[in-house]
Amino acid sequence: DAKTTQPTSMDCAEGRAANLPCNHSTISGNEYVYWYRQIHSQGPQYIIHGLKNNETNEMASLIITEDRKSSTLILPHATLRDTAVYYCIVKETSGSRLTFGEGTQLTVNP
Amino acid sequence: SAVISQKPSRDICQRGTSLTIQCQVDSQVTMMFWYRQQPGQSLTLIATANQGSEATYESGFVIDKFPISRPNLTFSTLTVSNMSPEDSSIYLCSVGAGTGYETQYFGPGTRLLVL
């Protein structure tokens, strides 16, 4: 699976959009981009995934660049409960294993 | 999505003992996974447990230390054997879902402290 690079930490004001970047320059054609988050003392939570088109669900939007070498997870109106470590993971859909990096600690401030 | 529960939620154990962690899912799933999260670190996959076959262990993890059972499609156990303080971690199970099992859903974790 391709390696991902994320900033160690980010801050965001409550009510504003949180934009979390992820670089995956070695991504291959059959690899998807997945985002999970882990709120303190809880198990990781699936957020969204995509291949090359932008995706949106009730939690977030995923924007993948045309060359697929980077992506951005967007939380449109961050709340204090969105404070968590966000993990960007690249993997094949046929492969089952998730390889977690260090992720980005997002802190939403009042 | 799947609802996953784990027992116990936390435990404090003495070195040299063993602890069995249970993972229960509210629906039948083919693929289940066990992860470890050491203090302040990210998650590491221990093994993949599919019903009807032997668990597949990742590099650095062995069956003698982390035996796994998968008796049916809704249940699995992970045993941490002959524990030492280095085994103090959060242990999480997850299940694969989706058409190609591409999305994983995680349980709440078991917090283990070994003294």
Side-chain angles (χ1 to χ4, degrees):
Chain A
D1 296 331
K3 179 178 172 59
T4 62
T5 303
Q6 299 178 252
T8 302
S9 64
M10 293 182 65
D11 285 279
C12 177
E14 188 177 19
R16 303 298 294 270
N19 298 287
L20 292 91
C22 179
N23 287 321
H24 31 79
S25 59
T26 60
I27 192 170
S28 62
N30 60 346
E31 289 182 314
Y32 281 62
V33 180
Y34 286 76
W35 284 84
Y36 286 77
R37 73 180 182 183
Q38 187 174 25
I39 297 171
H40 184 61
S41 298
Q42 298 183 23
Q45 178 187 23
Y46 165 78
I47 300 173
I48 198 168
H49 75 281
L51 180 63
K52 56 183 178 180
N53 297 320
N54 298 338
E55 302 287 344
T56 296
N57 62 21
E58 64 279 2
M59 290 184 67
S61 295
L62 173 60
I63 308 298
I64 303 174
T65 58
E66 191 169 344
D67 64 7
R68 303 207 325 121
K69 293 185 177 181
S70 65
S71 61
T72 301
L73 179 75
I74 301 172
L75 308 178
H77 304 288
T79 71
L80 299 179
R81 290 177 295 179
D82 292 320
T83 293
V85 178
Y86 286 77
Y87 297 99
C88 170
I89 300 169
V90 170
K91 79 169 192 72
E92 298 180 14
T93 53
S94 59
S96 56
R97 62 197 312 279
L98 287 174
T99 302
F100 285 82
E102 299 307 312
T104 296
Q105 171 66 60
L106 174 68
T107 302
V108 181
N109 301 304
Chain B
S1 65
V3 178
I4 304 164
S5 60
Q6 289 185 230
K7 290 182 180 180
S9 59
R10 59 180 66 237
D11 208 341
I12 300 173
C13 301
Q14 298 298 318
R15 68 172 66 209
T17 64
S18 297
L19 176 71
T20 295
I21 301 167
Q22 300 178 7
C23 179
Q24 180 75 52
V25 190
D26 69 340
S27 58
Q28 294 185 336
V29 294
T30 300
M31 306 188 78
M32 295 182 76
F33 308 88
W34 286 97
Y35 289 81
R36 180 177 74 180
Q37 187 171 29
Q38 295 178 298
Q41 298 189 24
S42 189
L43 285 79
T44 301
L45 180 64
I46 297 172
T48 301
N50 294 334
Q51 198 271 336
S53 63
E54 295 284 328
T56 302
Y57 289 82
E58 297 295 308
S59 175
F61 297 96
V62 295
I63 187 172
D64 290 345
K65 176 68 176 177
F66 298 101
I68 289 171
S69 77
R70 183 78 202 276
N72 57 53
L73 292 174
T74 64
F75 188 78
S76 177
T77 67
L78 169 76
T79 298
V80 186
S81 303
N82 188 25
M83 289 183 287
S84 67
E86 291 72 34
D87 294 318
S88 297
S89 297
I90 301 173
Y91 292 87
L92 301 113
C93 70
S94 73
V95 302
T99 306
Y101 313 110
E102 66 270 19
T103 301
Q104 289 187 28
Y105 297 95
F106 287 79
T110 295
R111 286 150 187 79
L112 171 62
L113 176 63
V114 183
L115 302 177

